[in-house]
Amino acid sequence: MSTELQSTEHLLDVTERLTRCWDQRDIEGTLNYYTEDVQYSEPGAGVRIDGRDRLRNYLHSYFKAWDSRWTIYEHHRLEGQNGLVVFWDMEVWRPGSTDRVMTKGMDLVMVRGDQISRDTVYFDRMQLKSLLAAA
């Protein structure tokens, strides 16, 4: 089965719109950018989620525990695929707290149409240690 390649600009636009929904802590808006059969994972945290309904549960927990803002500063197209590797800065904090941490990471994002079908997130969670101790 052949899939038409989308422009790099389109892939980045979908990824940036998704990122804004995460920033706004908009669960349904965030989910709208993921396919029904999305594969979401954070290997460093042992997180693997298959499907939008399970991802909804994760987002409820995440947004209850964390607030964050992402800035994508670099991206690279996966040759011959509808995918990107995006590098980002993230400012993260506990809701209601003034203590904040800046961290860096990257996502491997696969796009199908106007939605993300795979999102694999990599960053060093040890950088959040000071925020976990304050909780």
Side-chain angles (χ1 to χ4, degrees):
M1 179 175 149
S2 159
T3 301
E4 183 177 325
L5 289 180
Q6 298 170 325
S7 70
T8 301
E9 293 77 17
H10 174 78
L11 302 177
L12 183 59
D13 180 60
V14 170
T15 304
E16 287 180 331
R17 286 187 281 139
L18 168 71
T19 301
R20 297 296 69 84
C21 288
W22 276 84
D23 286 350
Q24 295 165 8
R25 300 163 52 94
D26 177 357
I27 291 173
E28 294 307 315
T30 299
L31 290 170
N32 285 336
Y33 283 102
Y34 286 110
T35 61
E36 285 288 337
D37 62 345
V38 64
Q39 294 177 342
Y40 177 90
S41 62
E42 296 178 28
V47 173
R48 179 178 167 93
I49 299 165
D50 292 318
R52 193 186 293 164
D53 288 337
R54 288 190 172 137
L55 183 57
R56 177 179 285 108
N57 294 335
Y58 174 79
L59 291 174
H60 277 287
S61 298
Y62 180 89
F63 291 148
K64 184 177 180 182
W66 301 104
D67 203 343
S68 50
R69 299 295 177 273
W70 281 267
T71 303
I72 296 171
Y73 63 86
E74 184 178 344
H75 67 279
H76 299 277
R77 174 75 183 245
L78 297 176
E79 187 173 341
Q81 300 183 57
N82 286 321
L84 294 174
V85 174
V86 293
F87 294 89
W88 42 260
D89 291 324
M90 178 178 63
E91 182 179 23
V92 62
W93 63 96
R94 294 289 200 173
S97 174
T98 58
D99 295 334
R100 295 174 183 235
V101 170
M102 289 296 295
T103 186
K104 293 184 177 298
M106 61 175 268
D107 282 34
L108 169 64
V109 177
M110 301 302 293
V111 178
R112 188 184 316 142
D114 291 330
Q115 294 178 305
I116 292 172
S117 61
R118 178 178 174 189
D119 189 357
T120 306
V121 182
Y122 298 95
F123 75 102
D124 181 3
R125 287 183 165 265
M126 289 303 292
Q127 297 177 58
L128 305 181
K129 191 175 182 179
S130 65
L131 297 178
L132 291 170

